[in-house]
Amino acid sequence: MDGKIKVLSNGVNQRGVRDFNERLLLTLLQRLGPTPGSELARITSLSPQTVSIILREMQAEGLIERGVPIKGKVGKPSIPMHLADGGVLSIGCKIGRRSTVLLLADFKGRVLHQQQLAYKYPLPGQIFDYIRSGVAAILEKCSETERRRICGIGIAVPFELWKWNELVGAPAEEFAAWKDVDFSTEIGKFSSLPVDVVNDATAGCQAEHIYGRGKEFSDYAYFFVGAFIGGGIVLNHSVYQGHQGNAGALGSLRSFGPQGEAQQLIDTASIHLLEKRLMENGLDPLELWKEPQDWGRFGRFVEPWLGRTAQELARASLSVCAVVDFEAILIDGAFPKDVKHSLVERTRRYLANQDMRGLIMPRIEAGSVGGNARALGAATNPFFGGYFMNSNIRLQRFAAEIPLGTSSPRFRVL
């Protein structure tokens, strides 16, 4: 598959139509889970014969597998098809202000290998050396078959990273080196795999949308609380990246400091504030990022940080809902699960006391992917090059709507 959606023409045997239909069926199997061919034909309006041919070809390629036959209905038992474990693989890399995560994942969202590097701040030379050695280490662990199934490398990185030197405590001249970095060129020095670059918070949103709770909602805003808070938005079942790939820059929402001075949400609801408090008390902030994460011994510092962050998220939730009528706000982050659920519950309480005139209160829910969201989302990006349909493409767009409590989706062409 060449990764391009070609102009549709008559004749299902033409390669361009087959590519489109293959990607459509793979996307549906990812979204719906195990599904019989007859149901896929009904949903897509493709002929049962066409669906059967495509499914057999994809099964022969190792992309999908047959499930257990479903008995008990009139006629022959139906056989659900599902994505195969390890059918397609991708390397994902999240370059953060405090750590870089490198992983290998398949198109079901399963992480096969992962490693992490923590630091005070990232510099290009250090990061690309780490990616080079990390990719080599991951490939060394893979079988020959797995290596052949790797389709690309996805990089998740903050938008205009070089502008954040003061907040990360990096020398301005050194950090400015990020401005001229071409990721494809740098990675091309040691890998022939295609490279996709995406905003880190958008990547987290993508992971939640594909592998987490995103299937429950058609429109929602997503906050990821990392060293610096960021976010993403989903409209009509699609992660919306905007014309320049920076839509959902929720960390740049307006906020206020202790003296009423203008600030951004990134200044008032990020983990770097907790890091600062730990340093003021002689503690090493890098302890917050060590795996497995356990913030228990920092309780007296975490508690006030949670309170302020929840208040800021409640206000930010109202701000985004004043622009788009989001049905939900999903909150995730680079912190332990107990911290996440406490933050979500506090945000709900603060939101209930906000001035809601002219607004409809959204649901405040916890994301399910967790701290790996940005790296996993980065790995997901290459899958859209040749296997999944990117519904932001306006040529033809499909969206599967799965109302809660129903067994059959309503599928529509937009």
Side-chain angles (χ1 to χ4, degrees), residues 22 30 57 71 73 109 121 136 152 185 311 322 326-327 383 387:
E22 283 179 347
Q30 192 286 318
E57 288 189 354
K71 301 179 181 179
K73 296 183 179 180
Y121 53 82
T185 298
Q311 291 182 57
F326 290 117
E327 58 182 309
F383 298 145
Y387 298 93

Side-chain angles (χ1 to χ4, degrees), residues 3-238:
K4 297 180 181 178
I5 296 181
K6 299 186 174 65
V7 177
L8 296 181
S9 56
N10 294 329
V12 296
N13 291 324
Q14 295 190 26
R15 189 67 238 175
V17 177
R18 178 65 56 78
D19 284 346
F20 181 89
N21 290 339
E22 283 179 347
R23 292 172 66 170
L24 174 58
L25 294 179
L26 285 172
T27 302
L28 284 171
L29 288 175
Q30 192 286 318
R31 186 169 182 84
L32 304 179
T35 308
S38 58
E39 181 70 359
L40 292 171
R42 184 191 68 78
I43 292 171
T44 61
S45 296
L46 295 172
S47 71
Q49 181 182 14
T50 297
V51 171
S52 179
I53 291 172
I54 295 174
L55 292 179
R56 283 202 301 270
E57 288 189 354
M58 292 196 297
Q59 183 180 1
E61 293 173 16
L63 297 176
I64 62 174
E65 297 175 339
R66 294 159 65 96
V68 179
I70 301 174
K71 301 179 181 179
K73 296 183 179 180
V74 177
K76 296 193 305 181
S78 61
I79 301 176
M81 305 300 292
H82 59 85
L83 299 182
D85 288 352
V88 186
L89 303 174
S90 174
I91 293 172
C93 178
K94 181 274 297 185
I95 301 172
R97 284 88 165 184
R98 292 289 185 252
S99 65
T100 286
V101 175
L102 191 66
L103 56 77
L104 178 71
D106 70 6
F107 64 170
K108 295 178 69 175
R110 296 167 57 246
V111 176
L112 282 69
H113 305 292
Q114 177 176 334
Q115 58 187 60
Q116 177 173 323
L117 173 69
Y119 40 69
K120 290 184 178 180
Y121 53 82
L123 292 174
Q126 167 199 26
I127 296 302
F128 288 113
D129 284 345
Y130 177 71
I131 295 175
R132 178 189 291 108
S133 62
V135 168
I138 286 175
L139 293 178
E140 184 68 25
K141 298 176 183 177
C142 293
S143 66
E144 183 59 34
T145 298
E146 288 175 328
R147 285 195 287 270
R148 288 198 303 267
R149 291 188 177 276
I150 299 175
C151 68
I153 299 177
I155 304 292
V157 63
F159 181 69
E160 296 186 337
L161 176 60
W162 60 89
K163 291 185 176 181
W164 305 102
N165 64 288
E166 289 188 11
L167 285 177
V168 301
E173 291 184 4
E174 285 187 273
F175 218 58
W178 282 111
K179 187 173 184 179
D180 299 319
V181 165
D182 184 311
F183 288 91
S184 295
T185 298
E186 293 298 325
I187 292 176
K189 293 176 181 178
F190 57 86
S191 173
S192 60
L193 290 168
V195 178
D196 290 279
V197 181
V198 64
N199 176 271
D200 61 337
T202 300
C205 186
Q206 183 79 280
E208 189 66 41
H209 186 61
I210 299 297
Y211 304 120
R213 299 190 62 188
K215 298 175 185 178
E216 300 177 31
F217 312 103
S218 61
D219 306 284
Y220 61 90
Y222 170 87
F223 287 96
F224 189 92
V225 185
F228 298 87
I229 193 170
I233 57 175
V234 171
L235 301 173
N236 198 16
H237 302 282
S238 302

Side-chain angles (χ1 to χ4, degrees), residues 281-359:
N281 286 271
L283 299 172
D284 183 2
L286 290 181
E287 292 294 317
L288 293 171
W289 307 101
K290 288 187 177 179
E291 296 290 344
Q293 283 185 307
D294 180 5
W295 290 9
R297 67 182 184 279
F298 304 127
R300 69 189 182 98
F301 305 108
V302 172
E303 189 67 18
W305 176 82
L306 276 172
R308 183 180 183 188
T309 303
Q311 291 182 57
E312 294 291 340
L313 284 174
R315 287 194 286 264
S317 297
L318 286 189
S319 295
V320 298
C321 286
V323 179
V324 177
D325 183 19
F326 290 117
E327 58 182 309
I329 305 293
L330 298 188
I331 299 172
D332 210 340
F335 35 42
K337 286 185 178 180
D338 60 325
V339 174
K340 171 170 61 179
H341 291 294
S342 178
L343 179 60
V344 168
E345 183 56 39
R346 292 178 188 220
T347 302
R348 286 178 183 146
R349 294 202 302 265
Y350 282 120
L351 185 62
N353 294 319
Q354 296 294 310
D355 184 351
M356 295 293 298
R357 288 176 296 175
L359 299 172

Side-chain angles (χ1 to χ4, degrees), residues 362-410:
R363 291 173 55 181
I364 305 295
E365 300 290 341
S368 63
V369 176
N372 257 3
R374 294 166 295 178
L376 185 58
T380 300
N381 236 38
F383 298 145
F384 286 94
Y387 298 93
F388 294 152
M389 290 185 65
N390 185 344
S391 51
N392 282 327
I393 295 175
R394 294 298 192 264
L395 178 63
Q396 289 259 359
R397 192 172 72 179
F398 293 79
E401 295 184 1
I402 314 172
L404 295 179
T406 64
S407 58
S408 177
R410 183 171 75 258

